[in-house]
Structure formats: structure tokens, C-alpha cells
Amino acid sequence: MTETVAGIEIPDSALAREATALIRDTTPPLIFHHSRRVYLFGSLQAAARDIRPDPELLYVAALFHDTGLVPPYRGDDQRFEMDGADQARTFLEAHGVSEADAGTVWTAVALHTTPEVPYAMAPEIAATTAGVETDVLGLNLAALTRAEIDAVTAAHPRPDFKKHILQAFTDGFRHRPDTTFGTVNADVLEHFVPGFRRTDFVDVIENSAWPE
């Protein structure tokens, strides 16, 4: 039977069920529950904005969006968002999803910490960011009803979530600080990693190899 939370159906295809099992079994509860909330909040925010993402693609994007923070998905050489995006695309292509749809999910995951830009792109990309911004930053909560918010958090509780997600961010990229240049991730390291100093955009320009 299809699971419904806050009026939103959880995709129940074979692909969605396998994605659920994979992420539930290979990531901490913090990431799994957050990712499911991102799908639910993203779907609700999409409805409020009158956009219609493909539920299955949005669901996979939401499930994979933070996998780059944790083993076995966490890498060393690129932004954590790209680690998750690569894993999502590989998963989808292995299940026969078209290159175009897998590319949309890749972009949704890769841009989920980028302000504004996703909202001008495909519905799945916009809705992924909307779900993340609602659950992590508390943005646009006023677009949802109290009953919807309560239903989502009852299904996937967020006890002490702020503290735990900030710790997950710190652990997820403190070993690759250069990848945080120009991103919100640098804010995390500046708060929680002693001695970290973000790369300054102006300094890069002024100290570049160009003589003028």
C-alpha cells in the first residue's frame, strides 16, 4: 500500500523502493530522515509554487542529496554535493533511467546548496532546493500549514536537528576545505574548525598570475 504523509505520496516503484532501502541501510538515521523530509517538504513547496516535479526523480534526488557527507559516498577531491550527485546519477543509469532524467537529478543534487538559481530550472531541481531550504534553514515555512509540518515531522522526527546536521556538515568536508571556496559550506568550517580561514575571492583576483 502506498505510504502518504501530509497528503504527499511516497513513490512506490521498484526503483524508489530500492533507493529507500539503499539509503536507509547505508547512511545514518540523521541523513535518511532528513532526506525523506526534503522530499516531503519539497513536494509541498512545489505545490505551493504550482510546479509539478516528477515524484520519482524528486524522491531519488532528495534521498541522495546529502550522501556525499558520509561514507561510503564521501570523497576527498570535490564538493560533497557532487559526490551525492554522482552517486544518484550512477544509481539511476544502472536502473535504466534516461541520461536526460539522470542528468536532471544530478543537477538537483549538485545545486541544492546554491541559492536562487535552482528555482529557474527544472521542477525537480527547484523542488529539491525548496525542500532543503525548508528543512535546514526554515525558509518558507509560512507556505505550509501547521498540520502539514506536524505530519512530516511526526513521520520523520528532527530531534536536535540543527546541532546534528551542522556536525554532519563539518565532518563531511573538514578534510577537503578547498572545496568550500565560494559556497555556504565555508561558513560551517569557519564556525566549527579552529584556524580555518575561507579563501577570499578578492584576494584570489588581486594575487592572480595576471600582472594587471
Side-chain angles (χ1 to χ4, degrees):
M1 189 169 101
T2 301
E3 181 183 3
T4 301
V5 178
I8 302 299
E9 289 188 356
I10 304 294
D12 194 36
S13 64
L15 183 149
R17 290 194 300 271
E18 187 168 334
T20 300
L22 177 66
I23 302 306
R24 185 178 54 221
D25 293 345
T26 59
T27 67
L30 171 75
I31 299 299
F32 176 71
H33 290 293
H34 165 53
S35 298
R36 294 263 289 194
R37 290 195 306 272
V38 165
Y39 169 73
L40 293 164
F41 285 139
S43 298
L44 291 166
Q45 294 288 6
R49 291 170 176 266
D50 198 28
I51 61 174
R52 294 173 175 80
D54 178 277
E56 187 175 62
L57 296 181
L58 175 58
Y59 187 66
V60 172
L63 286 184
F64 278 87
H65 85 279
D66 269 352
T67 53
L69 293 172
V70 296
Y73 308 103
R74 182 171 68 205
D76 298 325
D77 303 319
Q78 62 182 6
R79 288 174 56 170
F80 88 89
E81 301 95 329
M82 294 176 67
D83 288 341
D86 289 347
Q87 292 293 333
R89 180 166 58 191
T90 297
F91 175 84
L92 289 170
E93 289 180 346
H95 288 78
V97 174
S98 72
E99 183 177 345
D101 284 346
T104 296
V105 172
W106 187 95
T107 304
V109 176
L111 292 182
H112 79 265
T113 61
T114 299
E116 293 191 66
V117 174
Y119 291 105
M121 303 180 77
E124 296 79 16
I125 300 170
T128 300
T129 291
V132 170
E133 290 182 344
T134 296
D135 198 45
V136 178
L137 303 175
L139 299 185
N140 299 310
L141 279 170
L144 309 179
T145 68
R146 185 73 252 171
E148 289 170 336
I149 295 167
D150 289 347
V152 172
T153 56
H156 295 286
R158 52 195 312 279
D160 213 3
F161 176 70
K162 293 179 182 181
K163 173 184 175 181
H164 293 307
I165 196 63
L166 286 170
Q167 185 65 58
F169 289 149
T170 304
D171 293 342
F173 43 76
R174 69 189 305 158
H175 65 294
R176 42 179 166 175
D178 290 348
T179 68
T180 67
F181 172 57
T183 78
V184 296
N185 302 329
D187 296 341
V188 175
L189 297 189
E190 194 155 65
H191 273 270
F192 298 108
V193 176
F196 173 81
R197 181 179 182 275
R198 69 177 64 231
T199 301
D200 186 285
F201 180 65
V202 174
D203 287 346
V204 173
I205 294 173
E206 292 184 337
N207 297 318
S208 77
W210 288 106
E212 72 286 326

